[in-house]
Amino acid sequence: MRVRLSSLNLLSTWLWLPLTFAMWPFPPKRFKGNALLGAGSLGLDTDGRVVALGDFNGDQFLDMVSVGSDQQTLTIHLWDHERFIYRTSTVLKHNQLIVNVVPGDFTQSGRLDLLVMSQSPSSNGQLDLSLYRAADGGGLETTPISLPPSSESQPIPFDSTGDLRIDLLGISPSPHDQESFSVWKNVWNASQPNSIVYELTRTTMEGLQCKPSNPHSHAVVDLDGDCLADVILICDDGNTGGKVFQIWINQKDSGFKLQQSGKLPAGTQSISFADVDRDGTIDMVFATCSSVSRSTGLGNDCYVNIAYNKQLPLCASTTSPRFRNDRRICRAPEELCIGDPNFTFDLSEGPGNNAFVRVSIEELVPTPGGSTPQLLVLDTTYDPPLPVPLKIGDLNLDGFVDIVPIIATQPPGGRSKLAKTPKILGSVACRKGVAGCGPDGKGRRGWSVLGRDNNILEEFLDARGVVLVDIDEDGTLDILVQRTGEQGQGNVMFVQNNFYYDAFFLKAIVLNGGCPSGWCSTANGSRFHPFGVSYSGATYKYTVLDTTGKRAAAAVAQLPQTAYQSLLTPYSFIGLGRTNNYIENFFVGSTKHHDEHFINMEGVVPNSKVVIVPPADDSQRTEWRKELYLRPGEWIPLVTLTVVIATVLLASIVLVLHLNEKREDERERRKVSHHINFDAL
C-alpha cells in the first residue's frame, strides 16, 4: 500500500510539472553562461559592411545602416525588440560609390536624415554630398538633395553658431577655397518648398589653419573642460611628412581660437578620444607603427599611445582649498564645467613626462611561439581603404574605458593567412609587471589582455572592424565584429557580453532641440517623440562615490567623430563602477552660445537612460527638458515573485494565528460564562 501511494505521488508530481512550467511567468534567459557568447548575425545578413548607427524610428533601440558589396546599395536595419533580430526597413540604390554615411536630423524634423558622401565621377579630389530626407511615413525619401561638394578630406558635423543645427566643417574643392576651412552653414527652412540645406561660408577661426590629412581624425570634443565642445584638427606636416594637431577653442559668438598645436609621433594612425584615467578630462588614444602595408593594412612595430590631458584636477575633498596665490588649483565637484585655459597635451617622450605613455603591441598581446603580432590599421577590403581606429568603451562597467584592437598573428596549424582577431585590453590599476605601468609599478592605468577562457573572440580569424554597441539596450556593451567572410561565417557577427558585473551604468543623449514641445507632428497629424536625433558636440561630466567613499570625476563626449565610418553610437554609454549612491553631480553641456550652456543634474539614478533636450533658439522655452528612463534589473521579476509569495505566507500565518486566538478567546469566554452560571445555581 505504501509503495502504491509513493508511485501515485511521483506520478502526480510529473503530471503537474508541465502545468507549473506553463504557468511560470518569466521567459528563460536568452544567453546563459558567464562569458562572451556568440549571438550570430541577428538577422543582419549583408554582403557588405555596417557603415552607420542611429535610431531611425525613435523607439530608443539602436538601428544600423549597411552598404552592400557594390558600395552603392544602402539598407536600413531596424531592431525588433520582440523577435530579437534586425529586420530590413529601407533599401536605396545610390548612383555613386559611397565612402561615408552620417545619420543626423539635418532638417530639424525630429527624424534622422542620411548624409551620403560619395566619390565624384566628374573630377578628381572631390566628394559629392547628398542628403536623403526622412519621409513622413517612415523611411527615407528616394530622391536625395544635392549639397555643395567637398574635397576628399571628409567634412565633419559640428555646430558653428550655437543654434543646435548640424553644420559641416571641411575643405571646399574650389581652388580659391582650398587654403582654408569652409563651413557648410545649415540654412534649411521647412516653410519654404524648395529650401536649400547648406550655404557655403568662411569659418570664424582665429589663427593659421593647417592642411587636413586624408584620412583624418578630426573631432568635436571638449578639451579645455568648460563643457563646450572644441574642435581638434589632424593635419599633414608639409616639412617632415608626418602629422600635426591643432586645438581650436570654442569662444561661442567669437568663433574658434587656435589654442595649441604640436607634432604627433611618427607613424601616427587614427586617434580616438576618451577619459582614460577618470580624472574628468578627455585624453587622446592612438596607435603608431613604423610601417603599414598598403595591401593588407597591417602595421609593423606598433605601439598604443595615450596622451593624457594636463588640466585642473578634481579637488581632493569638498573642504580642500581651490585657490593658491589667487590662482585656481582644482575644481570642486559642483564646478566641473569651469574651463582651464592652461590645459595642454605633452607628447614628448622622457622619464619626467607621465602624461604620455607608449606601450608596444608585443608587450600588450604576447603571442605563443615567439611570433610578432601586427596591428590592423587599415581595412583594405573597402575602396578607398578605411582607417581602423582603436575602439574604446567600458566593457566591464568599472568606470575605466577598455581598448579593443584587431591583432594579426600567425595561427598554429600552418594556415597561410594571418589570423586577424579582436583582443580586449582591459584597464587595470597599475602595479609591477602590468603593461603600461612603470618598472616600479607606478602609472595612471595599466592594461591586461582578456584570455582565451570564456572568450569567443578568439575564434574569429577574419576580422576587419569592431563596433561597440549595446544589443537590445540591456546595459552592457556588446561587440559587433565586421568580417571579410574568409571563414565562411558571414560578414557580420555579434558577440553578447554576458559577463556578470557588480557595477552600474548610465546612458545619456542630448537631442538637437527640434520639436520644442517634445512632440513632433507629421503632415497626416500623427505625433511622435524625437528620441533619435542626437548631434555631435554634447559633453557629460559627473562625480560619483565608490563603495569606499572615494569621489571620482569623469568626462564623456557624445558622438565626437563621424568621418570615415567611425561607427560611434548616437548616445554616450557610461560605466559608473561600484557605487552605493546616486550620481552626485551630472553636468550636461551643449553647444549653445548662451551664458549657461550647461546644466547640473543632481541625484541621477544609475542603470538608467537620460534624455536631455536643450531649448532651441526659435522656441519660447528657456528651460531644459529632462527625461529619465529606468532599466529594471533582471532579478526584479524574481524579487517581486519572492516578495509576493512571502507576503502571502505571512498573511496566511497571521490569519491562522488570528483565527486560533479568536477561537481561544471564544473558548475562554464560554468557560467564564459557564463558571458564572454554575455559581448562580
Side-chain angles (χ1 to χ4, degrees), residues 210-430:
C210 57
K211 180 181 179 181
S213 302
N214 181 31
H216 60 70
S217 300
H218 300 342
V220 180
V221 60
D222 173 29
L223 295 175
D224 63 347
D226 61 354
C227 296
L228 184 65
D230 310 306
V231 174
I232 180 169
L233 304 176
I234 309 301
C235 300
D236 293 330
D237 187 349
N239 298 324
T240 64
K243 293 183 179 180
V244 297
F245 69 92
Q246 288 188 340
I247 298 177
W248 297 80
I249 298 302
N250 193 337
Q251 301 181 111
K252 297 184 179 179
D253 290 337
S254 299
F256 292 83
K257 177 183 178 181
L258 181 61
Q259 180 72 16
Q260 184 184 354
S261 61
K263 292 184 178 181
L264 292 166
T268 293
Q269 306 301 317
S270 298
I271 303 177
S272 302
F273 298 87
D275 186 355
V276 177
D277 55 348
R278 205 182 188 190
D279 64 346
T281 61
I282 299 294
D283 311 309
M284 290 193 288
V285 182
F286 57 94
T288 55
C289 300
S290 60
S291 63
V292 177
S293 171
R294 291 297 170 183
S295 60
T296 64
L298 296 175
N300 297 303
D301 189 25
C302 296
Y303 287 77
V304 172
N305 303 262
I306 303 174
Y308 291 101
N309 193 333
K310 299 171 70 173
Q311 199 176 124
L312 285 172
L314 180 70
C315 295
S317 68
T318 55
T319 58
S320 300
R322 291 171 290 172
F323 294 89
R324 182 183 300 155
N325 298 328
D326 295 330
R327 182 178 179 182
R328 181 178 290 275
I329 58 175
C330 66
R331 293 187 180 103
E334 65 276 5
E335 298 175 334
L336 293 185
C337 287
I338 292 180
D340 181 5
N342 300 315
F343 83 98
T344 183
F345 286 96
D346 185 358
L347 277 68
S348 62
E349 295 185 58
N353 181 20
N354 66 348
F356 184 61
V357 177
R358 303 184 75 227
V359 193
S360 69
I361 292 295
E362 295 184 42
E363 182 181 358
L364 288 168
V365 188
T367 55
S371 61
T372 302
Q374 295 176 287
L375 180 67
L376 183 66
V377 297
L378 283 176
D379 178 11
T380 57
T381 64
Y382 204 82
D383 182 26
L386 292 170
V388 181
L390 298 172
K391 284 297 180 178
I392 297 178
D394 190 356
L395 291 165
N396 57 359
L397 306 182
D398 65 347
F400 295 93
V401 294
D402 310 305
I403 302 176
V404 185
I406 296 178
I407 304 298
T409 56
Q410 185 65 49
R415 187 175 184 266
S416 58
K417 288 191 175 182
L418 294 176
K420 301 173 185 177
T421 304
K423 301 286 185 178
I424 296 179
L425 304 178
S427 178
V428 296
C430 266

Side-chain angles (χ1 to χ4, degrees), residues 420-656:
K420 301 173 185 177
T421 304
K423 301 286 185 178
I424 296 179
L425 304 178
S427 178
V428 296
C430 266
R431 60 181 184 274
K432 286 187 177 181
V434 174
C437 305
D440 56 356
K442 295 182 179 180
R444 301 201 183 193
R445 297 300 294 177
W447 308 95
S448 175
V449 64
L450 180 66
R452 292 180 174 272
D453 296 338
N454 303 323
N455 185 1
I456 197 175
L457 291 176
E458 296 294 332
E459 299 180 9
F460 298 150
L461 307 179
D462 59 350
R464 59 174 173 171
V466 171
V467 188
L468 302 183
V469 296
D470 184 3
I471 302 175
D472 203 42
E473 309 298 330
D474 62 356
T476 56
L477 274 184
D478 309 299
I479 302 174
L480 164 62
V481 181
Q482 308 223 59
R483 313 175 70 177
T484 62
E486 295 175 359
Q487 285 185 264
Q489 299 175 358
N491 290 1
V492 173
M493 179 70 72
F494 288 90
V495 175
Q496 172 75 21
N497 183 358
N498 214 49
F499 282 112
Y500 172 72
Y501 303 111
D502 186 16
F504 297 94
F505 74 93
L506 182 72
K507 290 182 180 180
I509 182 171
V510 174
L511 306 184
N512 65 349
C515 308
S517 66
W519 287 91
C520 300
S521 300
T522 61
N524 59 9
S526 61
R527 301 199 307 165
F528 61 92
H529 282 296
F531 283 134
V533 290
S534 66
Y535 76 108
S536 298
T539 304
Y540 308 102
K541 281 190 171 186
Y542 66 92
T543 57
V544 66
L545 291 171
D546 62 17
T547 53
T548 64
K550 182 180 178 181
R551 179 180 286 105
V556 182
Q558 175 175 291
L559 206 59
Q561 295 170 301
T562 54
Y564 302 94
Q565 302 180 23
S566 299
L567 286 169
L568 300 180
T569 57
Y571 54 78
S572 294
F573 185 95
I574 305 168
L576 300 175
R578 297 186 64 188
T579 178
N580 52 12
N581 202 351
Y582 299 104
I583 301 175
E584 290 184 308
N585 298 279
F586 187 69
F587 287 86
V588 181
S590 71
T591 55
K592 296 187 68 63
H593 290 180
H594 295 173
D595 292 337
E596 292 292 334
H597 59 273
F598 61 88
I599 58 171
N600 179 14
M601 301 172 60
E602 297 182 354
V604 177
V605 181
N607 281 11
S608 61
K609 181 177 181 179
V610 183
V611 179
I612 305 103
V613 186
D617 286 346
D618 56 355
S619 70
Q620 301 298 321
R621 181 171 57 91
T622 58
E623 75 280 0
W624 295 51
R625 180 176 290 107
K626 304 172 286 290
E627 299 179 7
L628 187 140
Y629 298 86
L630 290 175
R631 178 192 174 272
E634 61 180 5
W635 292 104
I636 283 184
L638 294 178
V639 172
T640 303
L641 180 64
T642 304
V643 171
V644 170
I645 293 175
T647 303
V648 172
L649 289 176
L650 291 175
S652 302
I653 293 173
V654 170
L655 179 61
V656 170

Side-chain angles (χ1 to χ4, degrees), residues 93-145:
K93 183 82 171 185
H94 197 60
N95 58 357
Q96 298 172 11
L97 294 180
I98 298 171
V99 297
N100 192 31
V101 176
V102 181
D105 185 12
F106 296 88
T107 58
Q108 295 286 100
S109 65
R111 296 187 186 273
L112 286 183
D113 310 308
L114 216 56
L115 173 64
V116 176
M117 305 179 189
S118 54
Q119 295 178 354
S120 175
S122 58
S123 61
N124 295 326
Q126 177 175 310
L127 289 180
D128 286 342
L129 307 183
S130 304
L131 182 67
Y132 288 91
R133 289 187 56 204
D136 282 343
L140 300 172
E141 295 183 354
T142 57
T143 303
I145 301 175

